[in-house]
Amino acid sequence: MTVPKGSGLADSDLIKLYSERILALAADIPRTGRLDSPAASVKRRAPLCGSTVTVDVQVADGRISDYAQDVKACALGQAAASVVGAHVIGASRDEIHAARDALKAMLKDDGPTPPAPFGGLEVLRPAQEYKNRHASILLSLDALSEAMDIAARSDCA
């Protein structure tokens, strides 16, 4: 694996960051595609790298009943989307917000691993020191949090 000049990353740093587990998650993202008629749909883009994630949700009784995602991101963003997609069905708005906030704290402040069922996001802890990758890692949960807020507002209307 070669590293672009000026990237500030050594080969060993990249190897550590892109572990086998992260690459396996990135290669097997569940719930890809789009829903036919979502309650909410949100597209988010990481400005620094251009990664994008679009999420569609259906919500019943305050919990996610169906979910789809279109992920065009680096391996780290794909790995995060993989963990989220595998565990999102049945999650509430509060659980999604808690997972997003915990992931952000884990990356920025070495906070605790996001709570169950999103504990698999722990695999992304080595990305803490690569601040330019944080936005891509957070895309799925940022978009999903916004989608859950939209769905909740439309429920109240």
Side-chain angles (χ1 to χ4, degrees):
M1 180 181 311
T2 59
V3 179
K5 279 194 171 218
S7 70
L9 297 177
D11 284 342
S12 62
D13 291 335
L14 276 181
I15 290 168
K16 180 177 96 175
L17 184 59
Y18 290 100
S19 70
E20 280 186 46
R21 181 70 182 128
I22 286 174
L23 295 176
L25 285 166
D28 190 26
I29 302 171
R31 305 186 92 48
T32 57
R34 303 294 305 273
L35 297 181
D36 289 332
S37 55
S41 181
V42 173
K43 180 177 184 176
R44 281 290 187 96
R45 180 179 176 276
L48 191 60
C49 66
S51 292
T52 62
V53 171
T54 303
V55 302
D56 296 333
V57 295
Q58 281 291 1
V59 179
D61 298 323
R63 297 198 170 269
I64 297 172
S65 58
D66 202 1
Y67 176 80
Q69 56 187 345
D70 181 27
V71 181
K72 302 211 179 351
C74 67
L76 297 171
Q78 290 175 22
S82 185
V83 172
V84 170
H87 302 288
V88 71
I89 300 299
S92 70
R93 179 178 173 212
D94 289 344
E95 290 167 330
I96 297 302
H97 284 280
R100 179 206 52 205
D101 295 347
L103 179 59
K104 192 178 294 185
M106 182 186 88
L107 291 171
K108 295 183 186 300
D109 303 319
D110 197 25
T113 300
F118 301 104
L121 291 166
E122 169 73 22
V123 72
L124 294 160
R125 192 173 288 276
Q128 288 173 319
E129 57 195 271
Y130 306 102
K131 294 187 185 323
N132 61 334
R133 307 294 171 103
H134 292 184
S136 181
I137 293 168
L138 289 162
L139 279 176
S140 288
L141 283 171
D142 280 344
L144 182 53
S145 292
E146 185 177 341
M148 291 299 286
D149 290 345
I150 292 167
R153 282 194 302 269
S154 66
D155 246 7
C156 296

